[in-house]
Amino acid sequence: LEIVERDWSDSIREIALQLVLHGIPFHTLVTTQEAEHRFKIKNDGEIAQSPKPIIWSNAAQVLQRGDVASYRERIKDVLRTPHGRKALSMGGVVWRWAVEFLKLEDVLEGPSAECLRSSPVCIRNGEEYYDDALSSSEVDVIVGSYHVLTGKIE
């Protein structure tokens, strides 16, 4: 409805760019067969390592200028992965950081070969459809989550 109401182009590319520009979440999908043909996947079993959370030694620690620079670099590291372009189509805080560090057109570069490492986004008429996904650890890095060591066991 949003696309029709705003009278956006009939071009899939232009619609995707408008969705990114407005921070509206969406998926770019590929079937298993299309992905295997497109990426010539070899099942090597390797899975990318999720980023580690930021750990502060105590609750009284105060952010320093270097901490902010380090945080921004960690965000860039996540977004530079082949599936990092997914952040552009997620909306919210993740989208806001993604548009700062990625080009809007990057969303059109996917799904990446890594999409088959996650669960299908949907199944229609027996066909599985995949999109890139960010792990919960990667989203935590982007939104600035951190762990504080309190000495208490939870």
Side-chain angles (χ1 to χ4, degrees):
L1 291 176
E2 183 84 18
I3 294 165
V4 172
E5 184 177 305
R6 291 180 183 253
D7 197 28
W8 289 340
S9 167
D10 291 335
S11 158
I12 298 285
R13 180 184 193 288
E14 291 304 315
I15 291 170
L17 292 176
Q18 286 296 325
L19 291 171
V20 171
L21 188 63
H22 290 86
I24 299 170
F26 66 99
H27 290 284
T28 53
L29 300 175
V30 65
T31 65
T32 307
Q33 185 177 358
E34 290 169 327
E36 288 171 347
H37 175 73
R38 194 164 141 195
F39 307 125
K40 295 180 176 57
I41 299 293
K42 293 180 195 162
N43 190 359
D44 60 9
E46 274 186 49
I47 296 177
Q49 192 76 12
S50 289
K52 300 287 186 246
I54 296 173
I55 298 177
W56 283 12
S57 57
N58 64 62
Q61 188 169 345
V62 178
L63 275 175
Q64 303 294 318
R65 188 174 302 257
D67 295 326
V68 175
S70 174
Y71 165 57
R72 292 174 64 88
E73 284 304 311
R74 288 172 57 86
I75 292 172
K76 287 185 212 176
D77 289 344
V78 168
L79 296 176
R80 286 183 193 129
T81 63
H83 61 279
R85 49 144 302 270
K86 177 61 184 167
L88 286 166
S89 66
M90 291 179 68
V93 174
V94 173
W95 166 79
R96 290 188 57 123
W97 278 112
V99 296
E100 182 166 334
F101 295 117
L102 298 173
K103 297 179 297 214
L104 297 183
E105 293 80 16
D106 289 345
V107 77
L108 303 171
E109 299 298 319
S112 72
E114 294 181 6
C115 72
L116 292 176
R117 297 187 191 278
S118 58
S119 299
V121 173
C122 67
I123 300 172
R124 186 164 272 185
N125 297 327
E127 186 75 58
E128 295 179 337
Y129 290 84
Y130 291 85
D131 192 6
D132 285 317
L134 294 176
S135 70
S136 59
S137 296
E138 290 168 324
V139 171
D140 283 350
V141 166
I142 294 170
V143 301
S145 295
Y146 58 89
H147 296 246
V148 177
L149 301 177
T150 63
K152 298 178 184 177
I153 298 175
E154 294 182 22

